[in-house]
Amino acid sequence: MRKKTLNKEIRRSITGSLGRFISIFSLMLLGTFAFVGLKVSGPDMRRTAEDFYAQHHLADLTLTSTLGLDHSDQQLINESKGVKKAEFGYFQDLVIKGKENSLRLFSKPDELSTYELMSGKLPQKDSEIALDYLYDGQYKIGQTIDFTPPKSKDSDLIKNHSFKIVGFVKSSEYVDKSDFGSTTVGTGKLNGYALVTKEAFDSDVYMIARLSYKNLQNISIFDSKYDSRLKTEQKTLENTFKNQPEKRLAALKTAPEKQINEAKSQIVEEENQLTQQENQLIAQKNQIGENASAQAIEQINAGQNQINDGKEKIAKAKAKAELAKQETALNQLEKPTYQINNRKEGNPGYKTFLDDSTRIDSLSNIFPVVLFAIALLVSLTTMTRFVEEERGNLGLLKALGYSNRDIRKKFMVYGLVSSGLGALVGTIIGHTFLPIAVFNAYTASSTFSNLRLTFSPLWTIVAFAIAIACSLLPAYWVVRMELKEVPASLFLAKVPKAGSRILLEKINFIWKRMSFTYKVTARNLFRYKKRMLMTIFGVAGCTALLVMGFGIRDSISGLSNKQFGQILHYDMITIEKNKVNDKEKEEIDKELVSSEIENYLPIAFENLTKEASDKLEKQEVNLIATNRSDDLSKYISLKSRKNSQKIELNNSGAVLSEKFAELLDLKVGDSLTLKDSENQPHKIKVAAITEMYMGHYIFMNQSVYQNVFKKDFVANAQLIKLKNASTNNIQKMSAQFMQEDGIQAISQNSDLKKVIESFMYGINSVMIVLITCAILLAIVVIYNLTNINVSERIRELATIKVLGFYDREVTLYIYRETILLSFLGILVGFGLGDYFHQVIMNQLSADQIMFAPGLLWTNLLLSAAITFATTLLLAIVVHFKLKAVDMLGALKSVD
């Protein structure tokens, strides 16, 4: 019977204090939602990518060559140890006829790096093609697509340039919607891909080799073991092909050299024969003398004519310069470059998607921790107040003979149900809503779809354990302390905290000028120290989360303006081929004086690399050297971020971009070694470090360049500023330059802008969710603490109402403390938020991107405004609650 009464009392405790119940429920819901959601979002993203790659058997390594892969290359690959499967294929970059868009046409793979069919069918004939699914809408199945043949017939590897579209496909090698790599046709940037049959190609050599390895099977591609083994296999393959460029070049020259030598020998032989015949004629002339007969003279002249004809034929052969052309072409023939890429290096978007998922993991280590810390503090205050309100019932139950365990059960069940339900709902939406929101934000720029949601038992158990502990432990501790008293003591109301003099009272010139209500406020703040600290830290936590969220957004959102408005002033870089003849150079110069170009600066451009370490991937660095240092500032502003001091190029060394120096822990005066395109090392001294937010750069003058590379300075590229810097015009001018035979590649600033914009979109979307959680947390915390404050002092408030205080004055009497404590909490939150912001920025930053450090004053103002607005809006709720106070009931004494 007694148990039945106790159980009824437990149910009434929940329904009778629904506001308190909902507040604890909400706190735990927010905490578990953010914790579980952020903890599973990264793994869900990686599992989705891993399943997609496993389904389509993405190659572990790819190998390409500038001259294709001949039989000797294929033999080396097939004989390599550890290779499970080696598959060879073709590709060709072509421009869509009538447009500037370029596509890379791949031959249909058999097993490795296959394609997902989105609609239609895969090509079966050499006249059929399946396009990148992103072109679905621009083209239709059954439509014909035409491509412009390359200028040089030797580089044309496609049998025909008109195809019937039979389907749309998704590639496993290209998962970034905006980055397909560079090309030598169109605008210099690929705009997509397409799939044709192998029979559509006409080539004696393959263009690409895809490899999978035995010891990489059944290992997660995101496991550190996979990366370690993959690097080992990549290094082994690089060593295998270390001497292959020289061998391949020698093999390519063998047949042409033999033909040229044979042709030379034949010409020399013919010249010797003609020389002998001419000598014989001269001898005959001398023998016959001046009295030679007409017939003899005629014979000599006929012989001379034959000799002249022979000389003329030889001269014509030389005039045609057939041999000269062949020799020139042979001498200009360069050894092939072999490019061996792993998944991160050869798959645009692969590394980006992985980095995005790990950034979410970083957020999960801070944001939910703060949420749960605040929830613990507020739950402690809430449960303490709950127990104090039930003090009389505790005495009654104890007097009736209930054990301490039975009495505690009421509060334990209350805490368990409120926190357990909150954790349950938070876990459910944390496993579903947040991962989907995060995935959709980051896949806006990638081709991944159909997020694979997974259930994490580990993080669910951890979340439930933390949530339940946040409510049960305070409840258990407070009830345990109360039950140490006897029933008679519990029947008595708890003695109110005694007032005492405060420090401010000793500062007489301030204290005597304060009104009565402000003196009461000051005394009450220190009278209820626990509630004061809870309010300060609760508001500080909410403000810190807002500051951190807005700070992350601000650090990223300003990148584009700073990079392309304040630092980089050029629109594109045109990069010439290694060997440009006079005619090609003349054509390039004509383009540079176009009316579309405002100005340009010739530079030496090199693409250097820094070998990867255990903690760092291989980094690519753009080297820009100039012999006109004074003019460089018109195109690139070199300055220190810390003191805004302008940096001049001098002979003491090179200027490094800040992010690159930070990654390698380099300071002014240090040296680093980088490798060029031929894998040759070059030692460079650091003279200064310049502000740069996107990409890695090294700047140097002519003298430093010549000392580092041990060769004369030769400009092989141009920094170009256009009069019309719109994206469309940059694309148009890039296409014009790519038409020139001497241009190898184009680097456009608009491409870097796209990278930053897609990165910003993903982070900002996640921040919106987290900032919303922080605002909701602020509402729950401030309301809960204010509600506790009102409940604790209801008799005091009833008293001043009886004394004649107006409703507005009563509200300000109690809420003035909340406003002041909120203000202090906001100040503390600024410092805490700045710390969180710095920690998160260090964890979120990508290798190629440097976030703008520091917090903007607008961020602090906005965070403070949101917290204050929440406080003031809740004041309205409290005002109406105080208006409805039953003064008589509140003033009834329990003693």
Side-chain angles (χ1 to χ4, degrees):
M1 187 67 179
R2 291 189 299 172
K3 296 285 183 178
K4 183 178 180 181
T5 304
L6 179 63
N7 293 335
K8 185 184 293 185
E9 182 66 19
I10 293 173
R11 288 195 297 271
R12 284 176 178 173
S13 68
I14 295 175
T15 57
S17 57
L18 202 57
R20 181 187 296 116
F21 183 88
I22 292 175
S23 67
I24 296 176
F25 169 85
S26 301
L27 286 170
M28 300 312 157
L29 186 153
L30 288 172
T32 53
F33 166 71
F35 178 77
V36 174
L38 291 176
K39 283 295 184 183
V40 302
S41 290
D44 282 357
M45 290 172 66
R46 291 190 287 273
R47 175 62 65 87
T48 300
E50 188 167 20
D51 288 350
F52 177 75
Y53 288 138
Q55 180 184 352
H56 296 285
H57 308 288
L58 181 65
D60 297 312
L61 293 178
T62 59
L63 186 148
T64 57
S65 167
T66 51
L67 294 179
L69 305 174
D70 67 358
H71 179 72
S72 63
D73 296 325
Q74 297 168 42
Q75 189 174 0
L76 277 177
I77 293 171
N78 289 326
E79 292 175 355
S80 297
K81 293 182 180 180
V83 175
K84 179 185 179 184
K85 176 71 176 178
E87 192 173 306
F88 301 92
Y90 304 97
F91 67 81
Q92 168 89 60
D93 296 347
L94 293 174
V95 178
I96 300 174
K97 197 167 187 177
K99 297 186 178 181
E100 295 173 353
N101 290 5
S102 57
L103 299 181
R104 178 162 289 176
L105 275 63
F106 285 97
S107 61
K108 187 170 60 175
D110 296 324
E111 295 181 30
L112 298 181
S113 300
T114 59
Y115 291 73
E116 181 178 346
L117 183 64
M118 305 299 288
S119 62
K121 65 175 185 177
L122 296 177
Q124 304 297 327
K125 303 176 183 177
D126 60 8
S127 60
E128 295 178 343
I129 190 171
L131 293 180
D132 176 358
Y133 82 103
L134 297 176
Y135 282 85
D136 190 359
Q138 298 183 41
Y139 296 93
K140 296 180 180 179
I141 293 176
Q143 188 177 347
T144 298
I145 184 170
D146 298 320
F147 295 94
T148 303
K151 278 186 176 182
S152 172
K153 291 184 178 180
D154 294 337
S155 61
D156 192 2
L157 310 175
I158 297 290
K159 291 179 180 178
N160 64 76
H161 301 87
S162 182
F163 295 90
K164 180 183 177 182
I165 301 172
V166 295
F168 293 94
V169 293
K170 181 189 291 187
S171 172
S172 56
E173 293 180 316
Y174 293 93
V175 295
D176 194 308
K177 292 180 180 178
S178 58
D179 185 8
F180 297 94
S182 58
T183 180
T184 56
V185 300
T187 62
K189 297 293 292 183
L190 282 171
N191 303 107
Y193 51 84
L195 197 63
V196 296
T197 62
K198 286 186 176 181
E199 290 72 26
F201 289 87
D202 182 15
S203 174
D204 297 329
V205 294
Y206 289 107
M207 283 85 213
I208 185 171
R210 299 181 175 94
L211 293 83
S212 65
Y213 286 85
K214 297 174 184 176
N215 67 341
L216 297 177
Q217 305 302 306
N218 303 320
I219 302 178
S220 171
I221 59 176
F222 301 114
D223 191 333
S224 58
K225 187 185 296 184
Y226 176 88
D227 285 336
S228 176
R229 291 184 181 181
L230 183 61
K231 287 179 181 178
T232 302
E233 298 295 354
Q234 185 174 4
K235 196 69 178 177
T236 301
L237 191 62
E238 287 173 352
N239 291 333
T240 301
F241 276 82
K242 185 176 181 180
N243 300 319
Q244 188 65 2
E246 289 78 9
K247 293 179 181 178
R248 184 79 186 279
L249 181 61
L252 288 170
K253 285 185 174 182
T254 300
E257 283 179 344
K258 183 178 180 181
Q259 291 178 353
I260 291 172
N261 291 333
E262 288 177 354
K264 281 183 176 180
S265 300
Q266 187 176 353
I267 290 173
V268 170
E269 186 178 347
E270 290 177 357
E271 286 179 339
N272 290 336
Q273 290 177 358
L274 290 172
T275 301
Q276 289 177 3
Q277 292 176 8
E278 191 173 19
N279 291 336
Q280 289 176 359
L281 285 174
I282 292 172
Q284 288 179 9
K285 278 184 181 181
N286 294 334
Q287 220 173 9
I288 294 172
E290 296 180 359
N291 299 323
S293 63
Q295 185 178 1
I297 292 173
E298 187 176 347
Q299 289 177 350
I300 291 173
N301 289 336
Q304 186 64 51
N305 290 335
Q306 288 179 354
I307 292 172
N308 291 337
D309 289 341
K311 286 182 177 181
E312 187 177 349
K313 288 179 181 179
I314 295 174
K316 284 181 180 179
K318 289 181 179 179
K320 288 179 181 178
E322 291 178 359
L323 292 178
K325 284 182 179 179
Q326 291 178 9
E327 283 186 302
T328 302
L330 200 60
N331 292 331
Q332 287 183 342
L333 191 63
E334 298 178 352
K335 60 183 179 182
T337 300
Y338 288 88
Q339 187 73 35
I340 300 173
N341 289 322
N342 58 39
R343 293 181 171 186
K344 292 181 181 178
E345 298 163 347
N347 189 337
Y350 181 101
K351 186 175 184 298
T352 301
F353 192 79
L354 173 60
D355 290 342
D356 289 342
S357 68
T358 54
R359 289 187 187 98
I360 303 302
D361 295 340
S362 300
L363 284 174
S364 70
N365 294 328
I366 289 185
F367 201 92
V369 173
V370 178
L371 281 177
F372 272 132
I374 296 172
L376 178 61
L377 291 173
V378 177
S379 294
L380 176 62
T381 305
T382 303
M383 294 306 294
T384 301
R385 178 57 192 167
F386 181 34
V387 173
E388 289 177 354
E389 288 178 355
E390 295 288 323
R391 183 179 173 84
N393 288 335
L394 289 179
L396 178 61
L397 291 172
K398 195 167 187 180
L400 290 173
Y402 283 97
S403 66
N404 288 348
R405 179 179 180 182
D406 287 336
I407 297 172
R408 283 198 300 268
K409 180 181 177 183
K410 171 181 178 179
F411 300 96
M412 301 298 283
V413 169
Y414 185 93
L416 180 63
V417 173
S418 59
S419 60
L421 283 177
L424 178 63
V425 177
T427 301
I428 292 173
I429 60 176
H431 271 100
T432 53
F433 172 75
L434 190 54
I436 292 173
V438 170
F439 181 78
N440 290 337
Y442 279 112
T443 55
S445 60
S446 77
T447 61
F448 287 115
S449 58
N450 302 323
L451 173 67
R452 178 170 177 180
L453 295 174
T454 58
F455 175 74
S456 173
L458 171 62
W459 297 123
T460 299
I461 293 171
V462 171
F464 266 87
I466 295 174
I468 293 173
C470 284
S471 60
L472 288 189
L473 291 179
Y476 177 83
W477 177 259
V478 175
V479 174
R480 182 172 176 272
M481 298 302 294
E482 292 289 338
L483 290 177
K484 287 182 177 180
E485 299 184 33
V486 296
S489 299
L490 291 173
F491 282 129
L492 297 175
K494 204 166 188 179
V495 179
K497 290 182 179 291
S500 61
R501 289 176 62 84
I502 61 175
L503 179 63
L504 193 61
E505 292 185 50
K506 297 180 181 180
I507 308 175
N508 191 50
F509 72 92
I510 296 178
W511 184 256
K512 70 180 181 179
R513 287 175 172 79
M514 292 173 63
S515 66
F516 168 75
T517 53
Y518 281 98
K519 287 179 179 178
V520 171
T521 299
R523 282 175 173 158
N524 283 334
L525 286 176
F526 293 93
R527 184 183 180 191
Y528 303 100
K529 294 182 180 64
K530 185 170 70 174
R531 191 182 65 242
M532 177 184 72
L533 293 174
M534 293 297 177
T535 304
I536 291 174
F537 286 114
V539 172
C542 300
T543 305
L545 294 179
L546 289 172
V547 169
M548 182 189 74
F550 287 123
I552 293 172
R553 186 202 62 179
D554 292 340
S555 295
I556 299 169
S557 61
L559 293 184
S560 185
N561 292 333
K562 288 185 177 182
Q563 180 79 357
F564 303 105
Q566 302 174 16
I567 300 175
L568 302 182
H569 311 300
Y570 63 86
D571 299 307
M572 54 194 290
I573 303 178
T574 56
I575 304 165
E576 300 174 0
K577 293 180 179 177
N578 289 337
K579 294 181 179 180
V580 181
N581 58 42
D582 294 338
K583 184 179 179 182
E584 291 171 341
K585 187 66 176 174
E586 184 180 343
E587 292 298 324
I588 294 173
D589 291 339
K590 285 181 182 179
E591 286 289 342
L592 290 172
V593 296
S594 165
S595 59
E596 296 280 348
I597 295 176
E598 180 180 328
N599 214 337
Y600 70 93
L601 178 68
I603 59 168
F605 183 88
E606 300 275 351
N607 189 260
L608 307 177
T609 56
K610 177 64 179 176
E611 288 299 324
S613 63
D614 293 337
K615 298 182 179 179
L616 194 66
E617 299 292 334
K618 183 167 70 174
Q619 302 296 314
E620 293 189 356
V621 192
N622 294 322
L623 168 70
I624 294 178
T626 178
N627 56 356
R628 292 160 52 184
S629 301
D630 294 339
D631 293 334
L632 184 65
S633 60
K634 299 175 184 177
Y635 303 87
I636 303 170
S637 295
L638 301 180
K639 62 177 181 177
S640 170
R641 178 185 57 81
K642 296 179 180 178
N643 56 22
S644 298
Q645 185 175 353
K646 186 178 179 181
I647 298 174
E648 301 285 351
L649 296 182
N650 54 48
N651 297 336
S652 61
V655 178
L656 266 65
S657 56
E658 186 173 350
K659 180 64 179 184
F660 186 55
E662 180 185 311
L663 284 175
L664 301 179
D665 195 24
L666 295 171
K667 298 177 179 61
V668 174
D670 294 344
S671 296
L672 76 157
T673 301
L674 301 175
K675 292 186 178 181
D676 59 21
S677 57
E678 296 182 354
N679 214 31
Q680 296 300 314
H682 301 281
K683 190 174 182 179
I684 302 173
K685 185 179 178 182
V686 181
I689 296 173
T690 185
E691 181 180 19
M692 194 71 64
Y693 295 95
M694 181 70 193
H696 300 325
Y697 291 87
I698 293 182
F699 305 94
M700 57 180 65
N701 63 16
Q702 178 180 354
S703 176
V704 175
Y705 177 87
Q706 292 177 160
N707 288 334
V708 169
F709 292 92
K710 310 301 180 187
K711 63 181 180 181
D712 294 334
F713 176 88
V714 177
N716 66 338
Q718 296 83 26
L719 299 177
I720 296 177
K721 290 176 69 174
L722 300 176
K723 292 179 179 178
N724 177 9
S726 66
T727 302
N728 290 337
N729 194 51
I730 292 175
Q731 295 292 322
K732 173 189 167 187
M733 293 304 298
S734 297
Q736 284 184 212
F737 273 104
M738 288 304 298
Q739 292 293 320
E740 301 299 331
D741 294 332
I743 296 296
Q744 179 180 359
I746 301 285
S747 175
Q748 305 172 19
N749 281 349
S750 55
D751 296 328
L752 296 177
K753 289 180 182 179
K754 288 180 181 177
V755 174
I756 292 178
E757 287 168 0
S758 63
F759 181 81
M760 285 170 51
Y761 179 82
I763 286 289
N764 283 338
S765 299
V766 176
M767 285 302 105
I768 289 172
V769 176
L770 299 185
I771 288 170
T772 303
C773 286
I775 294 172
L776 293 174
L777 179 67
I779 293 172
V780 174
V781 167
I782 295 172
Y783 175 77
N784 210 34
L785 293 174
T786 304
N787 197 43
I788 291 172
N789 192 13
V790 171
S791 300
E792 285 182 343
R793 299 166 61 187
I794 194 68
R795 296 180 64 198
E796 180 184 349
L797 296 173
T799 301
I800 64 173
K801 286 192 75 173
V802 170
L803 291 174
F805 277 62
Y806 292 110
D807 290 332
R808 183 176 61 84
E809 291 175 323
V810 174
T811 301
L812 285 175
Y813 180 86
I814 192 75
Y815 217 76
R816 192 178 287 112
E817 299 169 25
T818 302
I819 292 174
L820 183 57
L821 292 176
S822 296
F823 178 75
L824 293 175
I826 288 171
L827 293 180
V828 175
F830 285 166
L832 199 59
D834 181 47
Y835 172 74
F836 291 156
H837 176 255
Q838 291 179 18
V839 173
I840 286 292
M841 284 295 96
N842 291 332
Q843 294 178 349
L844 289 184
S845 60
D847 290 348
Q848 292 280 334
I849 298 176
M850 185 182 79
F851 294 144
L855 297 173
L856 301 178
W857 66 269
T858 52
N859 170 11
L860 301 179
L861 183 63
L862 183 59
S863 300
I866 290 174
T867 307
F868 257 125
T870 303
T871 304
L872 295 176
L873 286 173
L874 290 174
I876 299 173
V877 178
V878 173
H879 177 71
F880 285 103
K881 184 173 182 178
L882 291 177
K883 284 179 70 174
V885 168
D886 180 8
M887 291 181 286
L888 183 60
L891 289 171
K892 284 182 179 179
S893 176
V894 294
D895 49 3

